[in-house]
Each structure stands twice: as structure tokens, then as C-alpha cells.
């Protein structure tokens, strides 16, 4: 388990993880029915290649870059995301559900120089390239013969190592909120914000041996912090589920021990269990649980909405702990986290995380911590 003492930036997090966990599996994913593993050491090398490329582009322009990503969680997406931040430049994960107008608005307001995109969104990327004056290049996250792609960058810059230049106070990421009260607002998170929130809880052996399944959208900081950065911290495995329509299959394929999800997903998965029980009432609960959720699932971390106590009780009946925390993008995101030792308090949002102060003033939640955004 990585300590926070010498982990100040994203670069430190990636390289400390590689040094400590080496050839252990970091990423596992399926593509065209083939299963792929990426070790901690290989992932750090991929991040180094992206970082070296980023530094080269930044040197050419004479300033640090703003690089956006439009896609689902993948090996290359994560290498670009963390590689850009490791180089001291700024990553901007964008919502793949955006229309062209919203996408261009976010690209313009965050001063994006280069856009990485999943090929299935190439029409959106091409539209942004035409309409956004500051956008100079679009690069596919999948291999393509006639387009610039991340695969070529990883090959060209393989083996390159940069001198770490990112500082804790540097802007690492801009995330756009959902915009429930108007246009989405760009939340500015520094290296220090993201690292502080990665080390503000101590799960220890609870998650060190976890096999996590990524379900949450990668442009949310709940996903980036919980699925990606905590996995790096503890040396566990992160399995990628790029398509919700494959979730049931991937629960069986990857056999995760834990995942993070919004309550709606947890409710939908339990509804499948309830249907199985109704169809075959004499079948043992353990068999139904395995058929619906896999053999090893033991924990679900819920966030982004209210977790009904009835749903939590239903999962406990299956022998699966589920609990909720509270946070927001502006706090990187955790403000409170589940207390797994207190299943009797499942209706609460857990305990305030380390180093965080919270007060209620006239019904408003006010937060002070090193995780609170820049700007």
C-alpha cells in the first residue's frame, strides 16, 4: 500500500504504484472476446510515453497544454488521462452524452488544445475541430491507419522518461458539472486536490485484495478517484466495463469483489435477483446470487444519489455490504465515506474523511479541506 508521505502529484502516484506493485495486474479488460491484462509497470511506461509526447507538444507551443478526452474507460484513455497530468499539463474528461453544441462550449471554455476521442464519437470530434478555434488536433484512442491515434504515440515514445515537473499546486484536471442549474461549470482540481482525496481515507486490507469493476462514467471524479486512483494506491485490480449492456456478462467474466455505482444501477441489479427468485423459489439464495452477481462480490460503494435502506437490507440478505458516502466534484470528491464497521448506520452518508472540516450554516453544507477545488 502506497503511503502519502512521498506522493504529492499524479506522477508520484503512478510511479510509486509501479515501484511497489510491479508485475501485478492493474487493468483487466475484454475486447472481442479476448481478455487483456496490463501490469502496474507496463501502465507506468505507457503513462511515461504519453507524458513525453505531452512535454514535446508543450515545448513546441511554449506552454502547458489542455488536453480533453471524449470516450469510455479504456487502457489508452487512462494512460492519456494520467500521462497528461503526470507531465504537468491539464486533462479535461468530457461527457460522451454531450451534443455538439455542449461539447464545443466545454472545449472552448476550458481552452482545449488537443482532443483524444473514441472512434465511435469521431463525428462529434470532427464537428468540434471545425467549430473550436483553439482546438488544433484530434487523436483517436483506437488504432487507425489514416488518422492520428494514441497507439502510434505509445509506440513512438516508448521507453522515453521525463523529469517530473508537475507540482501539487498545478492544475491537473478540469471537470464539468452536470449543469442542473444552467450550463455545466468547470471545476478546477490540482494535483494536490486529487492526491489529498486519494489519501483521506484508510481502507487498508479491506480493498488491497479487491478486484474492482469499473461501472461509473470515467468523466466523473467519483470514478476517477474511487476506481482509478484508489486502485493505484492499494495495488488492487481494476476491470473495465465499457458498455452497461455487457454488465451482467462482465460480472461473471471478471468476478469482482467490489464496485462503485449509483443507486439506480444497484437497484437494477437487485431487481434481476428478485426476478430469478420469483421464477425459481426453491433455488438456494447463494446460487441465485452467483448467477446474478458473481461468486465473489462482497461490497458495493454507492454514491451520486440517495441509497434506500430497503435496498441496502436486500443486499445484506445476500451477504453483500452496501453503503453510501457523500461528495461533490468541487471536493475531489469525497467529503464523507462509508463506515463499513457500522452496518446499523447504512442510512447515513458515513464519516467525514480525514483532514476535512464540515459545518452547516443556514442549511448550507460548508467544507474546508485540501481537497477543495482551485479558483
Amino acid at each position: 500500500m502506497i503511503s502519502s508521505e512521498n506522493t504529492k502529484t499524479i506522477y508520484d502516484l503512478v510511479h510509486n504504484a509501479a515501484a511497489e506493485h510491479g508485475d501485478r495486474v492493474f487493468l483487466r479488460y475484454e475486447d472481442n472476446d479476448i481478455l487483456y491484462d496490463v501490469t502496474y509497470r507496463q501502465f507506468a511506461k505507457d503513462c511515461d510515453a504519453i507524458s513525453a509526447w505531452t512535454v514535446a507538444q508543450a515545448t513546441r507551443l511554449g506552454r502547458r497544454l489542455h488536453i480533453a478526452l471524449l470516450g469510455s474507460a479504456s487502457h489508452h484513455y487512462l494512460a492519456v488521462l494520467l500521462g497528461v497530468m503526470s507531465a504537468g499539463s491539464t486533462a479535461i474528461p468530457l461527457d460522451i452524452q454531450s451534443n455538439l453544441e455542449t461539447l464545443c462550449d466545454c472545449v472552448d471554455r476550458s481552452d482545449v488544445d488537443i482532443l483524444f476521442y473514441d472512434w465511435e464519437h469521431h463525428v462529434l470530434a470532427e464537428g468540434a475541430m471545425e467549430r473550436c478555434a483553439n482546438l488544433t488536433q484530434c487523436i483517436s484512442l483506437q488504432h487507425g491507419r489514416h488518422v492520428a491515434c494514441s497507439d502510434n504515440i505509445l509506440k513512438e515514445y516508448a521507453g522515453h522518461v521525463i523529469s517530473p515537473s508537475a507540482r501539487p499546486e498545478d492544475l491537473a484536471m478540469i471537470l464539468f458539472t452536470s449543469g442542473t442549474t444552467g450550463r455545466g461549470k468547470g471545476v478546477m482540481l490540482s494535483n494536490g486536490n486529487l492526491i489529498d482525496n486519494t489519501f483521506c481515507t484508510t481502507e487498508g486490507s479491506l480493498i488491497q485484495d479487491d478486484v474492482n469493476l469499473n461501472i461509473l462514467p470515467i468523466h466523473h471524479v467519483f470514478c476517477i478517484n474511487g476506481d482509478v486512483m484508489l486502485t493505484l494506491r492499494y495495488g488492487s485490480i481494476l476491470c473495465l466495463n465499457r458498455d452497461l449492456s455487457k454488465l451482467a456478462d462482465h460480472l461473471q467474466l471478471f468476478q469482482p469483489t467490489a464496485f462503485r455505482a449509483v443507486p439506480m444501477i444497484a437497484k437494477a441489479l437487485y431487481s434481476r435477483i428478485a426476478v430469478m427468485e420469483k421464477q425459481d423459489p426453491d433455488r438456494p439464495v447463494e446460487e441465485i446470487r452467483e448467477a446474478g452477481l458473481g461468486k465473489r462480490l462482497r461490497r458495493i460503494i454507492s454514491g451520486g444519489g440517495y441509497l434506500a435502506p430497503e435496498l441496502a437490507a436486500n443486499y445484506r440478505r445476500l451477504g453483500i455490504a452496501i453503503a453510501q458516502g457523500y461528495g461533490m466534484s468541487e471536493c475531489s470528491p469525497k467529503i464523507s465515506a462509508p463506515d463499513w464497521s457500522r452496518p446499523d448506520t447504512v442510512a447515513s452518508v458515513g464519516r467525514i474523511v480525514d483532514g476535512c472540516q464540515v459545518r452547516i450554516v443556514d442549511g448550507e453544507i460548508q467544507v474546508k479541506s485540501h481537497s477543495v477545488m482551485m479558483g
Side-chain angles (χ1 to χ4, degrees):
M1 181 178 68
I2 298 171
S3 72
S4 61
E5 295 175 5
N6 62 343
T7 308
K8 308 298 182 185
T9 66
I10 302 300
Y11 178 94
D12 298 328
L13 180 67
V14 170
H15 287 82
N16 290 346
E20 183 159 337
H21 307 304
D23 290 328
R24 292 187 65 180
V25 174
F26 168 49
L27 294 179
R28 179 168 290 157
Y29 61 95
E30 172 266 330
D31 186 27
N32 291 325
D33 296 325
I34 300 174
L35 205 60
Y36 296 89
D37 283 347
V38 181
T39 66
Y40 278 84
R41 184 173 287 113
Q42 181 59 53
F43 184 74
K45 290 179 179 178
D46 293 338
C47 287
D48 282 344
I50 296 295
S51 293
W53 170 84
T54 302
V55 169
Q57 310 311 305
T59 301
R60 181 173 56 83
L61 290 176
R63 58 176 171 80
R64 298 186 180 195
L65 298 181
H66 283 203
I67 296 179
L69 298 100
L70 182 70
S72 302
S74 67
H75 173 193
H76 283 203
Y77 186 111
L78 294 178
V80 171
L81 178 71
L82 276 72
V84 166
M85 294 189 289
S86 294
S89 284
T90 304
I92 302 101
L94 298 170
D95 185 357
I96 59 175
Q97 302 297 327
S98 299
N99 58 30
L100 181 58
E101 182 178 355
T102 301
L103 176 68
C104 291
D105 179 56
C106 292
V107 166
D108 286 337
R109 285 195 287 141
S110 53
D111 299 321
V112 171
D113 300 295
I114 298 170
L115 172 66
F116 284 82
Y117 65 95
D118 278 351
W119 179 251
E120 63 187 281
H121 306 302
H122 71 93
V123 174
L124 270 178
E126 291 162 4
M129 190 70 186
E130 292 176 2
R131 293 177 53 169
C132 300
N134 292 332
L135 187 59
T136 61
Q137 191 177 9
C138 289
I139 301 173
S140 172
L141 288 163
Q142 285 77 40
H143 180 72
R145 291 184 179 179
H146 306 296
V147 295
C149 61
S150 53
D151 196 49
N152 289 340
I153 294 173
L154 290 171
K155 290 177 180 176
E156 181 180 354
Y157 286 86
H160 288 231
V161 179
I162 66 165
S163 299
S165 60
R167 301 167 299 174
E169 62 268 25
D170 288 339
L171 176 61
M173 184 180 295
I174 299 174
L175 289 160
F176 284 91
T177 61
S178 57
T180 50
T181 57
R183 286 197 305 173
K185 297 173 178 63
V187 174
M188 301 163 61
L189 300 178
S190 68
N191 275 267
N193 293 151
L194 293 166
I195 294 301
D196 178 76
N197 210 254
T198 301
F199 289 90
C200 68
T201 54
T202 305
E203 288 90 348
S205 60
L206 187 65
I207 70 171
Q208 197 159 3
D209 297 321
D210 265 346
V211 175
N212 299 288
L213 180 61
N214 161 242
I215 297 174
L216 294 164
I218 192 62
H219 70 282
H220 285 278
V221 71
F222 181 29
C223 173
I224 294 168
N225 172 275
D227 285 349
V228 181
M229 298 180 71
L230 280 180
T231 297
L232 284 166
R233 176 189 174 188
Y234 285 102
S236 43
I237 297 173
L238 179 61
C239 302
L240 302 179
N241 179 81
R242 289 172 53 85
D243 185 348
L244 273 180
S245 68
K246 291 187 174 183
L247 179 55
D249 291 336
H250 282 170
L251 284 166
Q252 298 300 324
L253 176 65
F254 297 124
Q255 294 292 325
T257 61
F259 63 76
R260 288 164 181 80
V262 295
M264 180 179 66
I265 297 295
K267 184 177 180 180
L269 287 172
Y270 183 78
S271 295
R272 292 181 66 245
I273 297 291
V275 169
M276 291 180 189
E277 289 185 315
K278 189 174 182 179
Q279 291 175 340
D280 193 354
D282 296 326
R283 191 178 181 185
V285 172
E286 293 78 9
E287 288 187 12
I288 293 177
R289 171 189 150 164
E290 288 184 12
L293 299 168
K295 299 177 181 179
R296 298 189 298 180
L297 186 65
R298 61 175 184 250
R299 252 181 346 121
I300 299 173
I301 303 93
S302 179
Y306 172 66
L307 175 65
E310 298 81 11
L311 181 60
N314 286 333
Y315 271 102
R316 282 201 305 274
R317 181 179 65 83
L318 298 174
I320 297 169
I322 183 170
Q324 61 188 334
Y326 175 72
M328 58 182 69
S329 299
E330 293 85 348
C331 294
S332 306
K334 295 192 295 286
I335 297 169
S336 64
D339 183 350
W340 299 103
S341 69
R342 293 288 306 277
D344 57 308
T345 61
V346 71
S348 80
V349 291
R351 295 184 181 274
I352 303 298
V353 298
D354 296 342
C356 184
Q357 301 175 54
V358 177
R359 67 185 183 188
I360 311 296
V361 178
D362 297 329
E364 180 181 68
I365 301 172
Q366 298 181 354
V367 180
K368 181 179 181 180
S369 84
H370 292 297
S371 295
V372 173
M373 67 177 181
M374 305 169 65

